[in-house]
Amino acid sequence: MATTHRAGAAALVTAGLMTTVLVGVPSGSPAHARAAHGAGQAGVLEEPRLLQGAQANTRALQKARDSGTVGGDLLAGHGLVAPAGVRPPPKTEASAYVVADADTGAVLAAKDPHGHYMPASTLKTLTAVTLIPKLDPDRVVKPSQWACNEEGSAVGLVPKPIYKIDDLFRALLMVSGNDAADALAEANGSLDETLADMNAEARKLQAYDTVAKSPNGLDRRGQRSSAYDLALIARAGLTLPAFREYISTKTAKFPAPKGHYEIANHNKLLGKYKGMLGVKNGYTTKAQGSFVGAARRDGHTVIVVIMHHPGGFWDEVAGLLDWGFAARGLATPVGTLVGPAPSPTPSSSALAVRPSPTVDAPAATAAKRDDGMPASAMLALGGGVIAVLALGGAYGVRRRRRQS
């Protein structure tokens, strides 16, 4: 499936609900480590780099963030937004959620979709979407002692050259290995480089609510995402054959110094909910429970994202998925999952679909972290690039250093 740029959006008002109509423009394609790993990536962009010292770009992006809402104006609020003419979605204790049709991009229902919350391990999906096209899955790596000593959920890495990149991605997405996330970051060059790549990927996907401060999602000051952004990231991941394989694997053998041991997927709906493809759950005491799930029935895929849930959420997720399958094709969408942003060029005039400011989740009581993950960084787009050029400033595109 080719990923496309969205060059424009037109608002249509039907039955009091807004639907965003997007015009697709094909994008370019980078080389990949292995064809099987990157098949279906024909439209993935080269990662855009951040402009150092270009304050005009930051101001231009902030102005864009204040002028509209990514995915449609109905997604700007913090309450429930649901379509008319169909039964309402089932209740959930989650502070935020999104139910969307992955095939069409239609957002079927949402609650505080752009609200900022700590994502925990759900944004290991962004680590995977960022690094799968960049790393050779057959490459063997030796994790550092730092990676092996990471706190929270872990697959149990040791500092020996016995792991393929492929093994580390399985550990990342199946058992939420924080140590595996760190080892993948090292394999990509460094922690700083990986965070810059993840944040650039978030900007490319128009996941403007997302800021990554770790590759594993362990809570970090300023790290955040939103239910809407996680849906964008999951939809991008589903275009990657390797990503789909990892999230749908129930059990797998994992290397050890003396042989192998078995790891099992943490997704409790995998194999129990009809059509469940998988994706990722997460939890920290600050973030509380979060989950990104996708299921496919009768040729259609529905994505459900929940964030900041106080307790067990599996039954509620199943109910939201059931509702999504029943509503798709009947309900007037309340918004849309946008496509990747156009590449920054001197001729760009403005962001086609603009994000809006959102409110951080209420602070929760600090406690020991269990597992997690997210990402972001400012991307110089459209009006920001023009602002720099208008000042006659020469600039270089380079990776932005991130804090470790």
Side-chain angles (χ1 to χ4, degrees):
M1 178 193 305
T3 305
T4 59
H5 293 293
R6 276 15 180 194
L12 301 179
V13 179
T14 305
L17 296 176
M18 173 173 285
T19 303
T20 304
V21 180
L22 300 176
V23 180
V25 180
S27 65
S29 152
H32 302 294
R34 187 173 71 181
H37 232 56
Q41 288 274 316
V44 174
L45 303 176
E46 298 288 356
E47 285 78 1
R49 295 300 167 211
L50 308 177
L51 300 185
Q52 295 283 7
Q55 294 182 355
N57 291 308
T58 300
R59 290 195 299 270
L61 181 57
Q62 185 59 52
K63 183 178 180 180
R65 291 170 68 91
D66 293 342
S67 65
T69 302
V70 174
D73 287 349
L74 288 180
L75 303 183
H78 302 296
L80 174 66
V81 55
V86 297
R87 65 181 178 89
K91 292 182 179 180
T92 172
E93 292 186 79
S95 296
Y97 74 81
V98 163
V99 181
D101 186 327
D103 305 302
T104 65
V107 176
L108 304 174
K111 178 183 178 183
D112 196 15
H114 284 292
H116 291 173
Y117 298 89
M118 292 182 178
S121 282
T122 51
L123 276 188
K124 283 187 171 85
T125 54
L126 181 60
T127 306
V129 167
T130 302
L131 297 184
I132 282 174
K134 294 170 64 67
L135 300 179
D136 180 355
D138 292 323
R139 174 182 159 198
V140 176
V141 298
K142 176 184 176 181
S144 70
Q145 192 63 57
W146 165 76
C148 296
N149 290 344
E150 184 60 276
E151 65 177 320
S153 62
V155 73
L157 298 183
V158 294
K160 295 181 180 296
I162 59 175
Y163 307 104
K164 289 184 178 182
I165 294 295
D166 186 66
D167 297 320
L168 296 177
F169 277 124
R170 291 186 192 282
L172 179 82
L173 293 174
M174 290 179 61
V175 298
S176 204
N178 294 332
D179 48 357
D182 292 350
L184 286 166
E186 292 175 333
N188 188 50
S190 70
L191 176 62
D192 286 350
E193 186 172 0
T194 297
L195 292 177
D197 286 345
M198 290 168 62
N199 287 314
E201 182 73 17
R203 290 295 162 270
K204 184 187 77 175
L205 295 175
Q206 300 201 64
Y208 299 108
D209 303 320
T210 299
V211 177
K213 297 295 182 73
S214 72
N216 49 45
L218 286 171
D219 297 334
R220 298 288 185 268
R221 183 177 180 85
Q223 182 164 261
R224 67 180 191 236
S225 190
S226 68
Y228 182 88
D229 280 12
L230 290 176
L232 289 183
I233 295 163
R235 191 184 187 204
L238 292 173
T239 69
L240 304 174
F243 182 92
R244 295 198 305 269
E245 178 189 348
Y246 297 139
I247 64 171
S248 64
T249 301
K250 296 178 184 178
T251 61
K253 290 183 177 180
F254 193 78
K258 297 181 179 180
H260 295 81
Y261 57 92
E262 190 173 83
I263 58 176
N265 202 307
H266 286 183
N267 184 347
K268 293 183 179 181
L269 294 180
L270 195 62
K272 295 182 179 179
Y273 183 84
K274 180 182 177 182
M276 174 57 63
L277 301 175
V279 188
K280 191 74 190 69
N281 60 296
Y283 176 83
T284 70
T285 52
K286 289 184 178 182
Q288 299 193 39
S290 56
F291 181 70
V292 183
R296 188 165 181 81
R297 293 181 182 177
D298 301 322
H300 300 285
T301 301
V302 170
I303 292 173
V304 166
V305 178
I306 64 166
M307 298 191 78
H308 200 251
H309 193 289
F313 51 72
W314 299 106
D315 289 342
E316 293 179 9
V317 168
L320 289 170
L321 283 167
D322 286 341
W323 180 88
F325 281 114
R328 63 154 304 280
L330 299 176
T332 302
V334 299
T336 189
L337 298 180
V338 298
S343 297
T345 64
S347 62
S348 299
S349 59
L351 291 176
V353 184
R354 300 164 191 250
S356 65
T358 55
V359 179
D360 288 346
T365 304
K368 181 175 175 58
R369 297 169 296 198
D370 185 16
D371 76 15
M373 120 123 250
S376 115
M378 286 295 183
L379 172 61
L381 289 176
V385 174
I386 289 178
V388 174
L389 293 177
L391 293 173
Y395 58 86
V397 179
R398 52 180 293 189
R399 298 183 184 279
R400 179 180 178 183
R401 292 181 59 81
R402 307 294 301 185
Q403 72 177 58
S404 59

